Amino acid sequence: MNQQIVIIGAGPAGALAALLLSRRGHRVLLVDRKPLGRYKVCGGCLSATGVDILAEVGVLDAVLRCGAQPLRQLHLYATGRTSHIDLPPGLSISRSALDQ
């Protein structure tokens, strides 16, 4: 039986939940207390798992068109020392672009 569902929080997790529920035939209302496209630090990096999920639900191409860049290494610099860590392939994208 299809349900009417309200999802509070239209960030990446809420938007994905709304997309998947609506594809299953549910009526979904997605709400957020502030307009989307605002600057936020979180959401700037998508892990390899996150990229796989976006591909699985068919929205990875849209994220790439919004300017996502490959993310393969982490470079740390502190008190004259450096460290370079290889990462599973992910993406870097501004939160405001991701929200769009």
Side-chain angles (χ1 to χ4, degrees), residues 26-88:
H26 299 287
R27 293 184 57 200
V28 180
L29 176 62
L30 179 61
V31 296
D32 204 293
R33 66 181 159 167
K34 294 185 179 179
L36 294 177
R38 59 194 183 266
Y39 174 79
K40 292 181 81 173
V41 174
C42 65
C45 296
L46 300 172
S47 69
T49 301
V51 172
D52 290 345
I53 290 169
L54 294 176
E56 185 178 320
V57 300
V59 298
L60 180 57
D61 287 341
V63 171
L64 294 172
R65 284 192 304 272
C66 290
Q69 297 296 308
L71 182 62
R72 295 187 178 93
Q73 278 193 329
L74 173 65
H75 300 271
L76 301 172
Y77 302 92
T79 60
R81 295 181 177 194
T82 63
S83 181
H84 306 283
I85 301 167
D86 290 328
L87 301 171

